[in-house]
Amino acid sequence: EIVAAIGAALKDGPLNGKRILVTSGPTHEPIDPVRYIANRSSGAQGAALAAALRDLGAEVVFVTGPADVPPPSGVDVVPVQSAQQMSDAVEAALPVDVGVFAAAVADWRVASASDKKLKKSRDGLPTLAFAENPDILKRVSHMTQGRPGLVVGFAAETDDVINHATAKRLRKGCDWIVANDVSPATGIMGGSENAVVLISEDGAEEWPRMGKTQVARQLADRIAAALVG
Amino acid sequence: EIVAAIGAALKDGPLNGKRILVTSGPTHEPIDPVRYIANRSSGAQGAALAAALRDLGAEVVFVTGPADVPPPSGVDVVPVQSAQQMSDAVEAALPVDVGVFAAAVADWRVASASDKKLKKSRDGLPTLAFAENPDILKRVSHMTQGRPGLVVGFAAETDDVINHATAKRLRKGCDWIVANDVSPATGIMGGSENAVVLISEDGAEEWPRMGKTQVARQLADRIAAALVG
């Protein structure tokens, strides 16, 4: 790591001169001033990946929701709360050479979010109307002008990981999907380890379970290899 | 505080021999393995109150949801996630001399909570059915046998604080309501200060804005006065 850090400082890493966007963490979607919908993403994998890319010399823009782990040093941190804010921040960060979308973005927001605290309705149950959030990964993947040379999505699955993630790659139009199994039994969501499958046009490559830092370094090396050739 | 702590250690505080239940923090209601509904309660006021009651010599059972602030030392901590778990933990903690319900308990849970991560439905929007959570404050307030001698509820309001909280006291059947205005503009939710109104059968008593620790001490003193007379 010291060698990598010195390399980055000397600006002779393999990603020297490359601008890379990393999104990370959960999003929080407000229901009313006190309630919100969240997800269990700790932001650990995204933060480790941003650090690993920085260590290889990249200029990293790190767009992060309210994560449990702090952002790494030496990256350009853009904090956001909601999916809409994350979408705006991604828009503002473009163009980039590589986009890595590791955040667990809420698919939907509460369309009826209230300025006042919701009171119980007559039958005691609230009515929440939902609206679809911007699909950041799909939108960036389908850019006709200024699309990043490499777009990497993440897929947190709880069953049938490879099939779901392979379908997601085609549906979103991204180049790679980094998929993992976040079933509670795996302890991966919020834990320090990860067991990922890298999905590309070449198929599915299963990596052994290892620390999130190690996953990040291996992925950063693969990104560097893809860019530099 | 040192005097109070020594008093507690010597077991000669005014609440010596009293067993007091304090609930605190938010609850998290699962939607699926990765998503949940949360609220912005930091647990700061509940933790400060538990510490203040401990300092007056009480034996404190502290039932806490996933809060931002750590629980105080010297209390019996029972960590929970959901409202149902909190209800079960309260049940198990009874009987107590005083029950203080400072937690921001979700009124409802997702009835259709899924073991698998929700996929987008055909029209892209999820369908969430809600069910009412146990009303812990109301249930304890209405106990016919073994009701705590003093039941204190909290009310986080965003408008018309005194009217809403006065109605809540009657609806729940508790003795006191500690009400506050959690509109975002006040900075109280998640902040270090609080401005509360104490609602009892005598009416509404507005306290000046002060630190949450100070609110806690003043409330603990009032509880001691009510018990010891």
Side-chain angles (χ1 to χ4, degrees):
Chain A
E1 188 171 15
I2 291 169
V3 173
I6 292 171
L10 295 175
K11 290 285 174 210
D12 64 354
L15 292 175
N16 179 20
K18 301 295 182 188
R19 179 173 162 88
I20 301 188
L21 166 70
V22 177
T23 72
S24 184
T27 62
H28 284 181
E29 304 296 324
I31 296 173
D32 65 19
V34 299
R35 302 178 177 102
Y36 58 94
I37 297 179
N39 66 67
R40 300 192 194 285
S41 170
S42 64
Q45 187 63 80
L49 190 53
L53 293 164
R54 170 206 67 195
D55 287 346
L56 296 184
E59 174 198 352
V60 176
V61 183
F62 187 65
V63 176
T64 179
D68 295 335
V69 302
S73 61
V75 304
D76 180 10
V77 180
V78 185
V80 299
Q81 292 276 330
S82 68
Q84 184 60 58
Q85 289 169 356
M86 183 168 280
S87 179
D88 293 346
V90 164
E91 195 79 42
L94 299 176
V96 294
D97 296 292
V98 181
V100 181
F101 299 89
V105 183
D107 291 324
W108 17 272
R109 64 181 177 278
V110 180
S112 51
S114 167
D115 287 345
K116 295 185 176 179
K117 189 178 171 188
L118 287 183
K119 296 288 177 186
K120 291 183 183 180
S121 59
R122 186 153 308 182
D123 65 356
L125 300 177
T127 311
L128 293 186
F130 292 96
E132 217 166 339
N133 273 328
D135 190 330
I136 301 172
L137 176 60
K138 191 172 186 175
R139 198 162 45 79
V140 173
S141 296
H142 283 85
M143 288 173 68
T144 49
Q145 279 201 322
R147 183 189 189 275
L150 180 65
V151 178
V152 182
F154 276 64
E157 305 290 346
T158 52
D159 60 296
D160 203 4
V161 174
I162 292 180
N163 282 336
H164 277 141
T166 300
K168 181 171 183 176
R169 178 180 167 273
L170 295 174
R171 204 165 63 239
K172 302 296 185 183
C174 57
D175 302 300
W176 299 351
I177 286 275
V178 181
N180 60 10
D181 183 342
V182 296
S183 306
T186 65
I188 283 173
M189 205 115 187
S192 63
E193 290 194 326
N194 205 352
V196 307
V197 183
L198 180 60
I199 313 272
S200 68
E201 63 178 346
D202 299 330
E205 185 184 305
E206 294 192 61
W207 293 6
R209 189 173 174 125
M210 53 182 118
K212 287 183 177 175
T213 307
Q214 214 182 331
V215 169
R217 286 189 195 150
Q218 205 158 312
L219 201 53
D221 285 340
R222 292 293 281 267
I223 290 171
L227 255 67
V228 183
Chain B
E1 187 171 14
I2 290 168
V3 174
I6 291 170
L10 294 175
K11 292 284 175 210
D12 66 355
L15 292 175
N16 180 19
K18 301 294 183 189
R19 178 174 162 87
I20 302 188
L21 167 69
V22 178
T23 72
S24 184
T27 62
H28 284 180
E29 304 296 323
I31 297 174
D32 66 19
V34 299
R35 302 179 177 101
Y36 58 94
I37 297 179
N39 66 67
R40 300 193 193 283
S41 169
S42 65
Q45 188 61 80
L49 190 52
L53 292 164
R54 170 206 65 194
D55 286 346
L56 296 184
E59 174 199 351
V60 177
V61 183
F62 187 65
V63 176
T64 179
D68 294 337
V69 302
S73 60
V75 305
D76 179 12
V77 181
V78 185
V80 299
Q81 292 276 330
S82 68
Q84 183 59 58
Q85 289 168 357
M86 184 168 280
S87 178
D88 294 344
V90 165
E91 194 78 42
L94 298 177
V96 294
D97 297 292
V98 181
V100 181
F101 298 90
V105 183
D107 291 323
W108 17 272
R109 65 179 177 280
V110 179
S112 51
S114 168
D115 288 345
K116 295 185 176 179
K117 189 178 171 190
L118 287 183
K119 295 290 176 184
K120 290 183 183 178
S121 58
R122 188 152 307 182
D123 66 356
L125 300 177
T127 311
L128 292 187
F130 291 96
E132 219 167 337
N133 273 329
D135 191 330
I136 301 172
L137 177 60
K138 190 171 187 175
R139 197 161 46 78
V140 173
S141 296
H142 282 86
M143 286 172 69
T144 50
Q145 279 202 322
R147 182 189 190 276
L150 180 65
V151 178
V152 183
F154 275 64
E157 305 289 346
T158 52
D159 60 297
D160 204 3
V161 174
I162 292 180
N163 283 335
H164 277 142
T166 300
K168 181 172 183 174
R169 178 180 166 273
L170 296 173
R171 203 165 64 240
K172 302 295 186 184
C174 58
D175 302 300
W176 298 351
I177 286 275
V178 181
N180 59 10
D181 183 341
V182 296
S183 305
T186 65
I188 283 174
M189 204 114 186
S192 63
E193 291 195 327
N194 205 352
V196 308
V197 183
L198 180 61
I199 313 272
S200 68
E201 63 178 346
D202 299 330
E205 185 183 306
E206 295 191 59
W207 293 7
R209 188 172 174 126
M210 53 181 118
K212 287 183 177 174
T213 307
Q214 215 181 331
V215 169
R217 286 188 195 151
Q218 206 158 311
L219 200 54
D221 285 340
R222 291 293 281 269
I223 289 171
L227 255 68
V228 182

